Amino acid sequence: SFYLSLSGFTYARLLISSLSIFSPTCEPERSNPTSTMFRRATSTFLSRASATRRFSTDVATPATNSSFVEAWRKVSPNIDPPKTPLEFLKTRPPVPSTIPTKLTVNFVLPYSSQLAAKEVDSVIIPATTGEMGVLPGHVATIAELKPGVLTVQEGTDTTKYFVSSGFAFIHANSVADIIAVEAVPVNQLDADLVQKGLQEFTQKLNSATTDLEKAEAQIGIDVHSALNSALTG
């Protein structure tokens, strides 16, 4: 269900964070010649790529990496080289000389597209650093999303979505790409189910005996509290 997917993803994030926190106390990784060579090759490839091409929100025309293709041909002349990330990049419109009147929004989920090249007046993003309003001409930004309400303003029409998590990429050419793991229009939320879920996870937290049970219950409370705020706010 929608609520389970929210809790599951948030728990995964918590698990990843816990692994990174406790990694210094783990047993040191044994030296592996193959993995060492792979890491060195990857590092060399990335350093060469960054020397000739810098990351930017304004993607230029894609170009193949000639040095990589040449090296591949020497090793495997009978096998076509794999595509590099550069070949999948699409050209973005240039940054206009004047600020446009509209913000172009792409709002996608793993299984569907909610908004595709939609021109709106503004969006309010539930970022982990706080609510962030985005207007045309906004500075290039990458923001992590937290459970909360994404508000899309188009003239006098306002559409609100509850998003579980994800990222927002604000480009210098007044294009906003919003990628959420899960989302649903706020008007489709069931207030009774939200209250029921909040009560259930509160009871689980009170009766939890292990750290894992406490963490899962707290995640459920956080998500359902955000859902409740979306309905009441």
Side-chain angles (χ1 to χ4, degrees), residues 13 107 123-134 142-152 159-168 170 178-180 182-183 186 226 230:
R13 289 180 55 203
F107 178 30
V123 294
I124 299 177
I125 297 172
T128 54
T129 55
E131 301 292 320
M132 184 174 73
V134 180
I142 297 178
E144 182 182 1
L145 306 181
K146 66 178 180 181
V149 177
L150 170 70
T151 304
V152 180
T159 306
K160 295 185 177 183
Y161 301 87
F162 184 86
V163 297
S164 63
S165 53
F167 286 90
I170 314 302
I178 303 172
I179 297 91
E182 185 60 272
V186 171

Side-chain angles (χ1 to χ4, degrees), residues 45-112:
F45 174 76
L46 291 176
S47 62
R48 289 180 179 177
S50 61
T52 58
R53 177 186 182 84
R54 297 189 180 277
F55 294 105
S56 172
T57 54
D58 303 319
V59 179
T61 303
T64 57
N65 192 312
S66 57
S67 60
F68 172 76
V69 173
E70 182 181 353
W72 179 274
R73 294 295 187 189
K74 292 180 180 179
V75 177
S76 303
N78 299 323
I79 302 177
D80 292 334
K83 292 183 179 296
T84 62
L86 292 178
E87 298 181 53
F88 293 97
L89 297 177
K90 295 182 179 180
T91 303
R92 287 195 174 278
V95 178
S97 57
T98 59
I99 298 177
T101 58
K102 295 290 185 179
L103 176 72
T104 303
V105 177
N106 299 302
F107 178 30
V108 297
L109 307 177
Y111 53 85
S112 68

Side-chain angles (χ1 to χ4, degrees), residues 201-202 204-205 208 212-222:
F201 280 105
T202 300
K204 289 182 180 180
L205 181 61
L212 178 60
E213 291 177 347
K214 292 178 181 178
E216 290 177 337
Q218 187 61 56
I219 290 169
I221 291 175
D222 294 343

